[in-house]
Amino acid sequence: MTVSTDPGAAATVAAPGGGNPGRNSQSWLAVAALILGLALGVAAGLLIPRFTHPGTDSVEAGFLRDMSTHHAQAVEMSMIAHANSTNPRIVTLASDIALTQHGQIGYMQAWLRDWDLSPTGTEAPMAWMPDSAGSVVNGLMPGMATPEQMDSLRKATGKQVDVQFLTLMRAHHLGGIHMAQEAIDLSDNENVDWLATTMVSGQQSELALIDTLLKEVQAS
């Protein structure tokens, strides 16, 4: 192998790229810019979702909070009927409602936690829905049973358990469907829209069964 003694050749080896310092500086600047851009992109990916989450006074937060409360009463009514009814079809319906709505409460509370929001708010019930004043009666959301009605259901026996449960749950479902349909119209959150649509579909189906069972029980 021939070793050159030419100083120019040595300079070429020592300085890659033909010994052009300016080109090296540009390459390092390009790499640095790329790394900075990647870092900023990652940071934006982490931060932007937080900034785009629904706020505490949003339609979504209000709906999830109110519907969680609404569902909780339906679960309680269903557990009372499940424990005290002797009608197998009503026991099954009560179990289905309790399990479904308890699961939906889990979704709603998880989303509120993910959004760093409190499970309860400071606003009045239904404040998220425009012109909702007429749908709130004595502080109760649409379809919700009064404390007196709940107390009567707890004490009911025999046929009255079935009649009261079905009557109260029918009104409860109608109110819940109204709330869910409003949420679908007002919200632009995909998860909330999906859940509200599921509620409307499920409760409309259960309403048909409730009407059938109520007629049978009242006629017996």
Side-chain angles (χ1 to χ4, degrees):
M1 181 178 68
T2 302
V3 178
S4 173
T5 58
D6 179 26
T12 301
V13 174
N20 188 334
R23 183 180 299 176
N24 289 337
S25 297
Q26 292 174 358
S27 297
W28 280 110
L29 287 173
V31 171
L34 177 61
I35 293 172
L36 179 61
L38 289 172
L40 291 174
V42 171
L46 293 173
L47 292 175
I48 288 176
R50 287 183 174 273
F51 295 146
T52 57
H53 283 166
T56 191
D57 58 350
S58 65
V59 167
E60 291 80 8
F63 170 70
L64 296 185
R65 288 165 175 157
D66 282 353
M67 190 58 84
S68 291
T69 300
H70 203 271
H71 270 23
Q73 188 183 68
V75 171
E76 182 182 358
M77 289 194 294
S78 297
M79 295 305 295
I80 292 170
H82 185 272
N84 299 326
S85 175
T86 58
N87 185 316
R89 297 175 69 191
I90 293 177
V91 170
T92 298
L93 173 63
S95 176
D96 289 344
I97 292 174
L99 290 173
T100 298
Q101 298 208 13
H102 187 271
Q104 291 174 347
I105 290 173
Y107 277 115
M108 294 187 285
Q109 293 299 300
W111 289 338
L112 289 170
R113 288 195 300 270
D114 288 345
W115 301 341
D116 294 325
L117 300 178
S118 169
T120 58
T122 58
E123 295 184 331
M126 306 296 294
W128 55 273
M129 193 175 84
D131 303 320
S132 63
S135 61
V136 178
V137 180
N138 296 324
L140 296 175
M141 288 176 280
M144 287 194 71
T146 66
E148 293 76 19
Q149 288 173 322
M150 289 299 297
D151 188 54
S152 178
L153 178 61
R154 295 185 191 101
K155 295 176 180 177
T157 58
K159 177 179 175 178
Q160 282 305 308
V161 174
D162 298 335
V163 172
Q164 290 186 37
F165 168 68
L166 293 172
T167 301
L168 293 176
M169 190 57 73
R170 186 181 191 282
H172 209 274
H173 271 14
L174 288 172
I177 289 170
H178 171 63
M179 292 169 63
Q181 288 174 331
E182 287 293 326
I184 294 169
D185 291 341
L186 297 172
S187 172
D188 57 4
N189 182 282
E190 291 182 0
N191 287 331
V192 172
D193 287 346
W194 164 77
L195 185 60
T197 300
T198 300
M199 291 174 183
V200 171
S201 176
Q203 293 186 30
Q204 284 178 337
S205 177
E206 288 170 347
L207 271 175
L209 177 56
I210 288 172
D211 286 343
T212 298
L213 290 173
L214 189 54
K215 289 178 182 178
E216 292 177 359
V217 171
Q218 289 174 330
S220 63

